[in-house]
């Protein structure tokens, strides 16, 4: 599968429609066998389908037992044809089945009703997907949240909060990488619409190993998804291929934090290529770790302060109504906490929210007298909006 | 002038065009006298012009010596008419002239060719403006840069840099307030297109006093501008009126940092009302001091990472070509400094750019060995990209 030497050819191959592919009569088991045949990649499979579509209905239905000669007729090289003949044999199919069972995974193909509909629309859809977890998540409106592996604390916090907000009405897709990806999965995994982690390697291998706990939780409560068959050896070329699935599954891609030339931007570029939306969560223009993301504003990306800003683009495609928790954490929490405060209390609360501070610092930046400040702090402490920590520093609760 | 009781009436009064106003024949000295008459405000003057426009060409040219009766005919109350009669007398005019000379200021009226053309287009243009400095700045394409008085270090830095970039091709307008306004003026005051400070009080009175050095520099190298006559007593109602002039002078308003309900947002709202652009410099969505600004994205504000993002909206109105310095500081400086670095050097440079760091912190966040890190730091030190400061903390130069 996924022969790299084919990657340059994809422009020349038309994608067959679902109807055309089904009309050829190719059984899904044969498609899976081809996908796992060494030296047979996405483009070869596409040409087989096109051959079948040209030949007419049923032309790929068990034609002559799928011997090497048949595969040669369909345009495969001698070597590919021999490999394919071996791979489609019942014994090989049985070995695959027990491998899937051992890896607690299952398979969905381009030919199946369960295949994610938006992913079918991209120019180079995967023919086969391996998964563990809740397959039904593939039918929900999805949003991808991606970003740098070298995330700042700000980036991780915002990714987690926006993912939590989004997952109230959309499934959150990401790549289980360190940094932003992991934060997004973490925010979404317990929420109503859950999260999908698309892996570059096989579904039963956690990469990177640091995210094992998250990987296990997503396997149990969300969905692990991969184009690579089990036992695929990871190599760098698999990551951009994985990224196209992330972009392909989602209505839009949210970039939280990414330096220039960050790998996460490949996903954003693919989303633009697939005519999907790109959203950027604002960050500081002086932060090199934000600049790559912020520059997508110049390509027409939409600013997203919270999940609500994303929902409004898909309002007509989202089944549920926005609950009170649907808007994103940071913003609405700050808003709620401030709602019932007096003007001076609000000022002090905001100063502490921005940076944990001592009484002296608060007096200096607010210009209030100590007496007045003291009574405000007392009130905020008693209403459990702030707390005092060692060194008499006040934090927001 | 500026009688507050009139402010509610402005919707009912049509603005006279320049041609209509000139056709009435009212001399500019009379307009100035009316503007400085107690109890006669913007709306009253507008109704006088409309009266004149209705009566026909020349109808306000010295009609009967401008006695109280004439003013009554034009719709003024008995009290207003008496005050106007006094104010237009030659002795009063002389007193005004010497007051202007003493305050080193001059006057430009709505009737003059020097009046800023974009300001004529707003629904409630000032009839008279007082100024000190380079009047020709009023003819240049202008951009307003505004924000909170309680700015963070990030906000001030970005305001100064974006103002410096903008002022290469546009005049930067702001309100001389503390925080963002002051930073914007500071960035622009030495640049090619300079800066205009619009004051709420008179031109010869610096408010706030903290910005006196800047006020003096703008008076010498830029332009101080005010609708309030000299000796006006400052009151809160003058600031929104001042903000309309900031918005009215500029093709667009850049909001750098502003909490919800910040006064700077009045300027942004006015700009929207005047059909001007609003730009927002991204900041962190978790910062309450950024949220008010960021929320303008929801009203269609454009993200601006640097001056180049603003120039592209006005390319056809800007006379000069963008020089190498026209793009904004932070972004391009970081880009230039990074251009010739190797990959590891760049990583370390960015980490230090983001936050001054010790060797231990850099080792932890980069994952490099101390030996390798040491040689990189040496190289960055020798090429003068970073410097070591007390406590062995590295800073970007």
């Amino acid at each position: 599968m996924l022969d790299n030497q084919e990657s340059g050819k994809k422009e020349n191959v038309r994608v067959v429609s679902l109807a055309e592919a089904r009309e050829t009569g190719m059984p899904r088991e044969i498609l899976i066998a081809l996908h796992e045949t060494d030296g047979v990649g996405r483009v070869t499979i596409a040409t087989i389908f096109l051959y079948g579509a040209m030949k007419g209905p049923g032309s790929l239905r068990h034609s002559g037992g799928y011997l090497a000669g048949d595969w040669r007729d369909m345009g495969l090289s001698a070597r590919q044809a021999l490999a394919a003949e071996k791979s489609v044999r019942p014994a090989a199919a049985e070995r695959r089945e027990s491998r899937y069972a051992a890896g607690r995974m299952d398979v969905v193909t381009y030919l199946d009703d369960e295949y994610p509909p938006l992913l079918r629309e991209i120019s180079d859809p995967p023919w086969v997907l391996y998964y563990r977890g809740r397959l039904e998540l593939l039918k929900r409106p999805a949003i991808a949240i991606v970003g740098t592996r070298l995330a700042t604390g700000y980036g991780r916090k915002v990714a987690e909060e926006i993912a939590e907000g989004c997952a109230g009405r959309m499934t959150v897709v990401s790549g289980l990488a360190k940094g932003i990806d992991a934060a997004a999965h973490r925010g979404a995994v317990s929420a109503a619409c859950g999260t999908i982690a698309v892996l570059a390697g096989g579904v039963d291998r956690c990469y990177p190993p640091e995210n094992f706990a998250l990987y296990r939780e997503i396997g149990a409560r969300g969905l692990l998804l991969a184009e690579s068959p089990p036992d695929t050896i990871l190599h760098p070329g698999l990551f951009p291929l994985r990224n196209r699935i992330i972009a392909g599954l989602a209505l839009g891609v949210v970039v939280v934090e990414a330096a220039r030339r960050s790998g996460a931007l490949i996903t954003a570029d693919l989303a633009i290529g697939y005519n999907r939306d790109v959203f950027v969560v604002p960050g500081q223009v002086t932060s090199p770790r934000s600049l790559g993301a912020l520059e997508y504003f110049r390509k027409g990306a939409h600013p997203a302060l919270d999940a609500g800003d994303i929902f409004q683009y898909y309002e007509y495609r989202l089944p549920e109504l926005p609950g009170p928790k649907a808007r994103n954490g940071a913003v609405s929490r700050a808003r709620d906490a401030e709602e019932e405060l007096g003007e001076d209390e609000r000022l002090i609360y905001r100063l502490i929210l921005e940076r944990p501070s001592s009484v002296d610092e608060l007096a200096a930046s607010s210009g209030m007298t100590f007496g007045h400040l003291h009574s405000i702090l007392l009130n905020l402490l008693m209403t459990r909006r702030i707390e005092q920590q060692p060194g008499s520093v006040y934090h927001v609760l």
Side-chain angles (χ1 to χ4, degrees), chain A residues 255-323:
Chain A
V255 187
V256 172
E257 199 174 44
R260 290 203 178 92
R261 288 181 287 271
S262 163
L265 301 181
I266 296 174
T267 312
D269 286 332
L270 287 162
I272 291 172
Y274 299 153
N275 223 352
R276 311 284 164 92
D277 300 295
V278 175
F279 300 90
V280 171
V281 180
Q284 298 189 335
V285 299
T286 50
S287 165
R289 300 215 191 145
S290 278
L291 265 187
L294 292 173
E295 286 181 343
Y296 275 78
F297 285 137
R298 295 181 179 144
K299 302 183 184 178
H302 314 297
L305 279 57
D306 61 24
D309 287 339
I310 294 159
F311 293 157
Q312 74 165 8
Y313 280 84
Y314 308 116
E315 207 51 67
Y316 67 103
R317 303 180 80 150
L318 303 183
E320 303 144 61
L321 281 170

Side-chain angles (χ1 to χ4, degrees), chain A residues 50-64:
Chain A
L50 287 172
Y51 167 91
M54 206 179 65
K55 281 288 214 179
S59 54
L60 297 182
R61 181 177 295 131
H62 211 280
S63 50

Side-chain angles (χ1 to χ4, degrees), chain A residues 99-130:
Chain A
R99 179 68 187 84
Y100 304 155
R104 292 197 291 124
M105 69 181 78
D106 221 323
V107 185
V108 59
T109 80
Y110 184 79
L111 299 166
D112 304 334
D113 289 336
E114 292 77 17
Y115 192 89
L118 275 177
L119 191 59
R120 270 217 188 83
E121 291 177 12
I122 73 173
S123 51
D124 47 358
W127 297 114
V128 173
L129 290 166
Y130 304 84

